[in-house]
Amino acid sequence: MTRIYLDHAATTPVRPEVLAAMMPYFTEEYGNASALHSAGQAGREAVEAARTNVAALIGAEPEEIYFTSGGTESDNQALRGVDCRTIITTAFEHKAVLNTCAFLEKQGVSVHYLQPSCEGIVTAEAVENVLAEIRDRADKSETGPILVSIMTANNELGTIQPIAEIGAVCRKYGVLFHTDAVQAVGHIPMNVNAMNIDLLSASAHKFGGPKGVGFLYVRKGVSMDPLLLGGGQEHGLRSGTLNTPGIVGLGKAAEIAVRELAAGDTAPSVADGDVSESTRITSMRDLFEQRILAELSGVSVNGSRNQSANAASMEEIRAPRLPGHSNLRIRDVESESLLILLDMKGICASGGSACAAGTEEVSHVLTAIGLTDDEASECVRFTFGSGVSDEDADRAAEIVIDSVRTLRKLRSGITE
Ligand code: PLP
């Protein structure tokens, strides 16, 4: 049985080019990148080349990039490293942000949680309303420096937030803006200057790089305290021996992403057969959704403009979404049973975020967009990526349709 992997939001396979770039730094060039001898210097040069590639991916300067162990650490460093008394965030952030906010609340930081719309979007207007309310408040004791932290794209729904507009509002009010861009970096164009982002978290394993390495972008002039104290690497912000092979892999993944995103700017059209990778993935995801919506009743796309089952056209269901995400609610089917059946048939998908998977917890993202616990238990996330072909997507749709029919029959004798 060939496996069709549709869980790229949880993690992506390491690209062959990335692995090849990393290998020498495990074998011949194993020197500590902080050492002054030639073995160390070879590592140092590779780390600095990676920093340049990563900076280019988000329109930053290399000296604004700090390597970390991944998205979780970057989020923690951003939120806990800046001096702020108030945080404005959303109710559907990743747990790396939400649990850090809960920790900071216990330390006396005041946290405002914005609710996303049923489409999975938080508006710049909602951010501005809270900022204006705090500014106009008579009692100034609760305020102090403010940090806005809003994810670029939601990990379960794939919905893309209006980051440039939110950044403009933050600039207008003179507050710091952090975005958890773990799901977005490498998949959609990001530019920290055009979007007025001060702090940005990203992780290599979400875009073809290795696990356990990521980065935090810190705009020049933003002052930060380190989470980790030690040897003072990364200009004192992130102590610990540099993970040279991981950083090289991250740099190569960034270089590939820059190339592929640039191809997206120039690719003439899908019809010419000369499409960027993200266009290819989007159209494959759309074909998968279209087939399921056409052949099964009672299916809707979470994080979409139209929440009703069987929307008439893809235009109706297309909210700003990452290329690979498809989060479906399938009425009268327990997602857990479906996921087990799909796994037995070679399809890897997920019911919520990877970190929540395996727990009984209802997805806080799905409840934040207005689903009841029962409705949320009928949702499955499929996420497409580079190793998946159109044929795989079509085969996966067929298997999903068959499996849903089987489970519905078993449940109540309903036939399609
Ligand atoms: N933020 C978001 C939006 C994520 O999707 C994830 C991982 O799923 C993380 C943060 C955590 O990243 P990492 O796995 O690199 O710690």
Side-chain angles (χ1 to χ4, degrees):
M1 182 173 59
T2 47
R3 188 165 71 184
I4 305 177
Y5 181 78
L6 298 181
D7 201 13
H8 289 80
T11 197
T12 59
V14 172
R15 296 274 192 117
E17 275 180 81
V18 168
L19 182 62
M22 292 171 69
M23 286 311 280
Y25 297 92
F26 288 112
T27 51
E28 307 97 69
E29 300 296 0
Y30 46 77
N32 186 323
S34 301
L36 293 176
H37 49 63
S38 60
Q41 286 317 295
R44 167 58 62 185
E45 277 169 31
V47 164
E48 293 317 317
R51 204 185 302 278
T52 302
N53 283 337
V54 165
L57 182 58
I58 59 165
E61 297 297 326
E63 56 274 24
E64 295 174 311
I65 303 296
Y66 296 84
F67 293 117
T68 65
S69 64
T72 302
E73 184 187 331
S74 298
D75 285 341
N76 270 264
Q77 175 63 59
L79 271 64
R80 294 163 70 179
V82 296
D83 170 35
C84 71
R85 302 303 312 147
T86 302
I87 295 176
I88 299 168
T89 186
T90 77
F92 75 160
E93 295 294 312
H94 190 270
K95 289 289 171 77
V97 167
L98 289 180
N99 286 338
T100 305
C101 285
F103 168 83
L104 290 168
E105 275 186 284
K106 286 196 201 129
Q107 321 266 306
V109 174
S110 154
V111 184
H112 298 253
Y113 298 94
L114 299 171
Q115 290 299 323
S117 68
C118 65
E119 299 161 356
I121 300 289
V122 168
T123 62
E125 195 188 352
V127 177
E128 178 152 22
N129 288 344
V130 180
L131 287 169
E133 189 267 318
I134 293 171
R135 182 196 57 197
D136 300 341
R137 210 179 270 168
D139 175 13
K140 303 282 179 210
S141 61
E142 198 215 302
T143 55
I146 297 173
L147 173 70
V148 172
S149 179
I150 294 183
M151 67 200 322
T152 305
N154 183 270
N155 45 305
E156 292 188 35
L157 305 168
T159 49
I160 301 169
Q161 309 309 308
I163 292 300
E165 285 93 324
I166 294 170
V169 166
C170 292
R171 191 51 58 89
K172 177 173 153 191
Y173 283 76
V175 300
L176 282 180
F177 179 34
H178 165 249
T179 188
D180 173 343
V182 167
Q183 291 289 334
V185 163
H187 299 283
I188 55 171
M190 296 290 299
N191 186 299
V192 288
N193 294 317
M195 295 173 162
N196 281 319
I197 295 165
D198 299 307
L199 302 161
L200 177 148
S201 305
S203 184
H205 75 103
K206 304 291 187 181
F207 62 103
K211 294 165 186 61
V213 61
F215 68 92
L216 178 66
Y217 157 79
V218 182
R219 181 177 289 285
K220 225 176 278 171
V222 171
S223 116
M224 275 231 147
D225 285 331
L227 276 190
L228 299 180
L229 301 174
Q233 289 89 344
E234 297 294 89
H235 299 288
L237 190 65
R238 207 294 186 164
S239 285
T241 300
L242 289 167
N243 170 6
T244 308
I247 292 169
V248 168
L250 166 60
K252 180 54 84 175
E255 185 193 310
I256 295 169
V258 167
R259 199 169 64 218
E260 290 184 349
L261 289 168
D265 289 343
T266 51
S269 75
V270 182
D272 294 338
D274 180 14
V275 295
S276 72
E277 186 59 356
S278 68
T279 308
R280 187 189 74 81
I281 292 171
T282 306
S283 74
M284 174 169 68
R285 185 273 316 271
D286 288 352
L287 284 173
F288 168 85
E289 273 184 2
Q290 266 163 346
R291 181 160 180 199
I292 291 177
L293 290 169
E295 295 187 34
L296 286 176
S297 63
V299 179
S300 53
V301 179
N302 291 315
S304 65
R305 291 216 166 92
N306 186 332
Q307 286 293 303
S308 66
N310 286 352
S313 73
M314 288 314 287
E315 278 318 304
E316 265 186 84
I317 64 167
R318 199 174 273 148
R321 246 193 310 167
L322 290 173
H325 272 65
S326 177
N327 190 318
L328 302 180
R329 179 175 162 220
I330 304 171
R331 311 292 194 278
D332 304 319
V333 171
E334 273 293 326
S335 62
E336 254 185 64
S337 314
L338 180 58
L339 289 169
I340 292 167
L341 192 52
L342 290 177
D343 191 31
M344 285 164 60
K345 295 179 180 187
I347 310 284
C348 299
S350 99
S353 68
C355 317
T359 70
E360 291 297 307
E361 223 177 286
V362 175
S363 154
H364 68 283
V365 171
L366 297 173
T367 51
I369 61 165
L371 270 64
T372 63
D373 288 6
D374 284 348
E375 289 167 349
S377 73
E378 298 176 329
C379 299
V380 177
R381 179 186 74 178
F382 302 93
T383 45
F384 294 79
S386 284
V388 188
S389 66
D390 282 1
E391 292 70 37
D392 292 333
D394 194 52
R395 173 99 188 100
E398 188 179 308
I399 292 172
V400 171
I401 292 163
D402 277 354
S403 305
V404 167
R405 286 185 176 144
T406 304
L407 291 172
R408 281 181 174 167
K409 254 191 234 168
L410 279 175
R411 189 178 158 122
S412 59
I414 299 169
T415 47
E416 289 282 327

